[in-house]
Amino acid sequence: MNTTTRAAVAVVCTAALVATSVLGGSFLGLAAPLSGDLYESAAPEGATQVDSPYGPASVWYDDDGVPHIDAENEEALYFAVGYVQARDRLFQMDLQRRLVGGELSAVVGESTLESDRFYRSLDFQSAAEASWQSVRGTEVGTPIEAFTAGVNHYAGTGPLPPEYALLDAEFEAWTPTDTLLVGKLISWQLSGSFADLRRATAVSRLGTNATELYPATLDHDVPIIRDPAESDAAPFSPADVVENASATNANVGGDFGALAEWTDAYDKDPTYGSNNWVVSGEHTASGRPLLANDPHLALTVPPVWYEMHLSTDQMDVRGVGFPGIPMVVIGRTADAAWGVTNVGGDFTDLYTYEMRDGGYVYEGEVREFDTETETIEVADGENVEIAVRKSVHGPVIERGGRTVGVAWPGFSATNESLGVYRLNHADSVDDIQDALRIWDVPAQNFVAADRAGNTLYYPAGQYPIRVTDGEVVRGDTIFDGSAGEGEWRGYEPYGQSSWDGFVPFESIPHVENPDVLATANQRTIDGPAFYMGTSLTYADPYRGQRIYDLLDDAVADGDVTVETMQQVQRDVRSEAATGFSPYATSSDAVAQMSPGARELSAELEGWDGQMRADSRAALVYRIWVDEFRTATFADEFEPQGMDDSYYPRLSVLQRLDADSQWYDNRSTLEHTETRADISAQAMNRTADRLDEEGWETYGDFNTLDMNHPFDREFTNYPERPMNGSRFTVFNFRSAGSTQAGSSWRMVVDFSDEDDSLGVIPGGQRGVFWSSHYHDQLDEWADGEYKALTLDRPSGSPDIVFGGGQ
């Protein structure tokens, strides 16, 4: 898939996760120029006095536009949260629910019709409704309803964002299900995957030798739990999981290229990742734990995250959440803190069927698909009807004569909204661990710490145990659904699952009170008690390796401080670069280079792998490694109709033997190429490309270029060169229209000084003319921070909510 398509649908987040990015520049032809009347119709500040049916609440906006909200009860609090989120991010919230609900075309037109087809086919709306029915009677139900009322109150009384006038669109009332629907979008972007389609297609087209490109593990991986003996997981039955799940399945093969091409645009983006780590008080200057987190998602305008400080007599929490969700997803209370990264496990299974008599065969009988006809409204064309089909495994999709059922835990009723609510009330690591017991999707690597000195690592989530003929099997295949392969016991799509056939919470590998533990989406543990994923689901280990090296050095040198944590988050050394550079500087490769290419190769001699904007060597490496990867695989993949989305992980390429068959170019029959030959070709092409583009330093290529969907000069963020890369801890990468990186940086300090810090890449408000539209952008880009304390601004509140029942 090309980068333009990827960027157009990466919403993330897991990651990414802001629906504006799916639209790219598609509004450009629809939007009329802004007029003075439009400016005058939208007041830049909210009302001072607001009626509330739930009781008093007050909002103070600090100098960075962060709302500090205090209320006498939770209903009044969440009504105010809904109001201020709508005031600051209403259009973004609306687009998120329209994206995942398959209703973008009603306001955008035919350009988003395929996106609507996909999301309607998977019926996230019904999954969200099931989740709402599951949680509405719990302690989070009333807060979600109060939040909903607050959103609608602002939409009915305050000025709407200018995007509505530009699109000639109206805001439709928010519902509690919409909040759960936004949660489904986030969960899917972080854990939904069709990688099995790409793997099966690659093996079908290239032959069985291609399986070496998609290994079960990455040979030089640095797992999160470095010593398996540290895991506090309890054993569980069946005891033979490891033995029976040790080999890759090959139950259903064949070419799924048409399906892969369609679904790839809506798949979890494998380039996204995140970092978090915790250091216990045993190694800190204060004697209390330190915790850091920076999730890497799509960098969008406005940002993925919205920062809030929420307090009542029973709760005091600060951090970031997704617009449309009323709670803090990543953050801290007075006495506890938590951060998350994506587990990267295998949570999506696909099933083929024997089709017969208009239905499908399952358990020896023909069943009808559960089918509903739905209408997609199209603003600038004819409405479109689609058939939404479901099997026993979940939604069914079809392309190119291939039909598959899709199983994913998030299609069931899930409780992550309740889990987040309980995290916001946590006073200790024990409270956090209890909140994670009900966490369903997306599975996340949680690190946690508290003021009392406790620490925790828990990759919470629902892990399916696949069963075929009574035996536990792995999930990195496409199952024969008609034959009952790969069944998930206890899973009910679009209903209430018992989760009986999933890994018990206590048996998930975790560590209680780790001294130093870091996650960067790498493999969880060597020899887990159950199948969690493969090289296709986990990230390359470069960031994890670098973070552990830095933390180990810091612990060895002495007491770790908040500044230490900041230094690690600012680190721009690429372990990928230091691993690959010797290939580009070997004498065998240099001997085959053009004079200009030899000069570029010399830039890498003795280079320390620092991906800095002012570095010539970083530029040379970055372009060369892309050309090296392409020169290695394009001659095999492109003739078979497969683009670079099918290529293996970079660390797999690094581990290929110097004379691997994949280096040989199939079009040069008279010569068998080796790694040195490909390295030289790649550097020659790098020299040509740099001459053509005129780039001098890495920052000329690695440029911050974050654009609003309307893509007007006044709506876009300022451009600037950037440090960092995909594989550095300080994470930023630019590739065409794709912008991704650290979407929030946080360091939590439990010392008496409370030097906790945080920053987002942009600003709090989504209104173009606001002083908080991108006022944190330079701080973020320069690796700086602002305070993340629980102090609220002095002076009178900016918004006062009154009334009550």
Coordinates of all heavy atoms in Angstrom, one line a residue, residues 25-58:
G25 N -6.7 15.4 2.1 CA -7.1 16.7 1.5 C -8.4 16.7 0.8 O -8.7 17.6 0.0
S26 N -9.2 15.7 1.1 CA -10.5 15.5 0.3 C -11.5 16.7 0.5 O -12.4 16.8 -0.3 CB -11.1 14.2 0.7 OG -11.4 14.2 2.1
F27 N -11.3 17.5 1.5 CA -12.3 18.6 1.7 C -11.9 19.8 0.8 O -12.7 20.7 0.6 CB -12.2 19.1 3.1 CG -12.9 18.3 4.1 CD1 -12.6 18.3 5.4 CD2 -14.0 17.5 3.7 CE1 -13.2 17.5 6.3 CE2 -14.7 16.7 4.6 CZ -14.3 16.7 5.9
L28 N -10.7 19.7 0.2 CA -10.2 20.9 -0.5 C -11.2 21.4 -1.5 O -11.4 22.6 -1.7 CB -8.8 20.6 -1.1 CG -7.9 21.7 -1.4 CD1 -7.7 22.5 -0.1 CD2 -6.6 21.3 -1.9
G29 N -11.8 20.5 -2.3 CA -12.7 21.0 -3.3 C -14.0 21.4 -2.8 O -14.8 21.9 -3.5
L30 N -14.3 21.0 -1.5 CA -15.6 21.3 -1.0 C -15.7 22.6 -0.2 O -16.7 23.2 -0.1 CB -16.0 20.1 -0.1 CG -16.1 18.7 -0.7 CD1 -16.4 17.7 0.4 CD2 -17.2 18.7 -1.7
A31 N -14.5 22.9 0.4 CA -14.5 24.0 1.4 C -14.4 25.4 0.7 O -13.5 25.6 -0.1 CB -13.3 23.9 2.3
A32 N -15.4 26.3 1.0 CA -15.3 27.6 0.5 C -14.3 28.4 1.3 O -14.0 28.1 2.5 CB -16.7 28.3 0.6
P33 N -13.7 29.5 0.8 CA -12.8 30.3 1.6 C -13.5 30.8 2.8 O -14.6 31.2 2.8 CB -12.3 31.4 0.6 CG -12.6 30.9 -0.8 CD -13.8 30.0 -0.6
L34 N -12.7 31.0 3.9 CA -13.3 31.5 5.1 C -13.7 33.0 4.9 O -13.0 33.7 4.2 CB -12.3 31.4 6.2 CG -12.0 30.0 6.8 CD1 -10.9 30.1 7.8 CD2 -13.3 29.5 7.4
S35 N -14.8 33.4 5.5 CA -15.2 34.7 5.3 C -15.2 35.4 6.7 O -15.2 34.8 7.7 CB -16.6 34.8 4.8 OG -17.5 34.2 5.7
G36 N -15.3 36.7 6.7 CA -15.4 37.5 7.9 C -16.6 37.1 8.7 O -16.6 37.1 9.9
D37 N -17.7 36.8 8.0 CA -19.0 36.4 8.7 C -18.8 35.2 9.5 O -19.3 35.0 10.6 CB -20.1 36.2 7.7 CG -20.5 37.5 7.0 OD1 -20.2 38.6 7.6 OD2 -21.2 37.5 5.9
L38 N -18.0 34.2 8.9 CA -17.8 33.0 9.6 C -17.0 33.2 10.9 O -17.3 32.6 12.0 CB -17.0 32.0 8.7 CG -16.7 30.6 9.3 CD1 -18.0 29.9 9.7 CD2 -16.0 29.8 8.3
Y39 N -16.0 34.1 10.8 CA -15.2 34.4 12.1 C -16.1 35.0 13.1 O -16.1 34.7 14.3 CB -14.1 35.4 11.7 CG -12.8 34.7 11.2 CD1 -12.6 34.6 9.9 CD2 -11.9 34.3 12.1 CE1 -11.4 34.0 9.4 CE2 -10.7 33.7 11.7 CZ -10.5 33.5 10.3 OH -9.3 33.0 9.9
E40 N -17.0 35.9 12.7 CA -17.8 36.6 13.6 C -18.9 35.7 14.2 O -19.4 36.0 15.4 CB -18.5 37.8 13.0 CG -17.4 38.9 12.5 CD -18.0 40.0 11.6 OE1 -19.3 39.9 11.4 OE2 -17.3 40.8 11.2
S41 N -19.2 34.7 13.5 CA -20.3 33.8 14.0 C -19.8 32.8 15.1 O -20.6 32.2 15.7 CB -20.9 33.0 12.9 OG -20.0 32.1 12.4
A42 N -18.5 32.7 15.3 CA -18.0 31.8 16.2 C -17.2 32.5 17.3 O -16.0 32.9 17.1 CB -17.1 30.7 15.5
A43 N -17.7 32.7 18.4 CA -17.0 33.3 19.5 C -15.8 32.5 20.0 O -15.9 31.3 20.1 CB -18.0 33.6 20.7
P44 N -14.7 33.1 20.2 CA -13.5 32.3 20.6 C -13.5 31.7 21.9 O -12.7 30.9 22.2 CB -12.4 33.3 20.4 CG -13.0 34.7 20.6 CD -14.4 34.5 20.1
E45 N -14.4 32.2 22.8 CA -14.4 31.7 24.2 C -15.8 31.2 24.5 O -16.8 31.7 24.1 CB -13.9 32.7 25.2 CG -12.5 33.2 24.9 CD -11.5 32.1 25.1 OE1 -11.8 31.2 25.9 OE2 -10.4 32.2 24.6
G46 N -15.9 30.2 25.4 CA -17.1 29.7 25.9 C -17.8 30.6 26.8 O -17.3 31.6 27.3
A47 N -19.1 30.3 27.1 CA -19.9 31.2 28.0 C -19.3 31.0 29.4 O -18.8 30.0 29.8 CB -21.3 30.7 28.0
T48 N -19.5 32.1 30.2 CA -19.1 32.1 31.6 C -20.0 31.3 32.5 O -19.6 30.5 33.3 CB -19.0 33.5 32.1 OG1 -18.1 34.3 31.3 CG2 -18.5 33.5 33.6
Q49 N -21.3 31.4 32.3 CA -22.3 30.7 33.1 C -23.1 29.7 32.2 O -23.5 30.0 31.1 CB -23.3 31.7 33.6 CG -22.7 32.8 34.5 CD -22.2 32.3 35.8 OE1 -22.8 31.3 36.4 NE2 -21.2 32.9 36.4
V50 N -23.1 28.5 32.7 CA -23.7 27.4 31.9 C -24.7 26.6 32.9 O -24.3 26.3 34.0 CB -22.7 26.4 31.4 CG1 -23.4 25.3 30.6 CG2 -21.7 27.1 30.5
D51 N -25.9 26.5 32.4 CA -26.9 25.7 33.2 C -26.5 24.2 33.2 O -26.0 23.7 32.1 CB -28.3 25.8 32.6 CG -28.9 27.2 32.9 OD1 -28.4 27.8 33.9 OD2 -29.7 27.6 32.1
S52 N -26.6 23.5 34.3 CA -26.3 22.1 34.3 C -27.4 21.4 35.2 O -27.8 21.9 36.3 CB -25.0 21.8 35.0 OG -24.8 20.4 35.3
P53 N -28.0 20.3 34.7 CA -29.0 19.6 35.5 C -28.4 18.7 36.6 O -29.1 18.1 37.4 CB -29.6 18.7 34.4 CG -28.6 18.4 33.4 CD -27.7 19.7 33.4
Y54 N -27.1 18.7 36.7 CA -26.4 17.8 37.7 C -25.8 18.5 38.9 O -25.4 17.8 39.8 CB -25.3 17.0 37.0 CG -25.8 16.1 35.8 CD1 -25.7 16.5 34.5 CD2 -26.5 14.9 36.1 CE1 -26.2 15.7 33.5 CE2 -26.9 14.1 35.1 CZ -26.8 14.5 33.8 OH -27.3 13.7 32.8
G55 N -25.7 19.8 38.9 CA -25.1 20.5 40.0 C -23.9 21.3 39.6 O -23.5 21.4 38.5
P56 N -23.3 22.0 40.6 CA -22.2 23.0 40.3 C -20.9 22.3 39.9 O -20.6 21.2 40.3 CB -22.0 23.6 41.7 CG -23.3 23.4 42.5 CD -23.8 22.1 42.0
A57 N -20.2 23.0 39.0 CA -18.9 22.6 38.6 C -18.2 23.9 38.1 O -18.9 24.8 37.6 CB -18.9 21.5 37.5
S58 N -16.9 23.9 38.2 CA -16.1 25.0 37.7 C -15.0 24.6 36.8 O -14.4 23.5 37.1 CB -15.6 25.8 38.9 OG -16.6 26.3 39.7

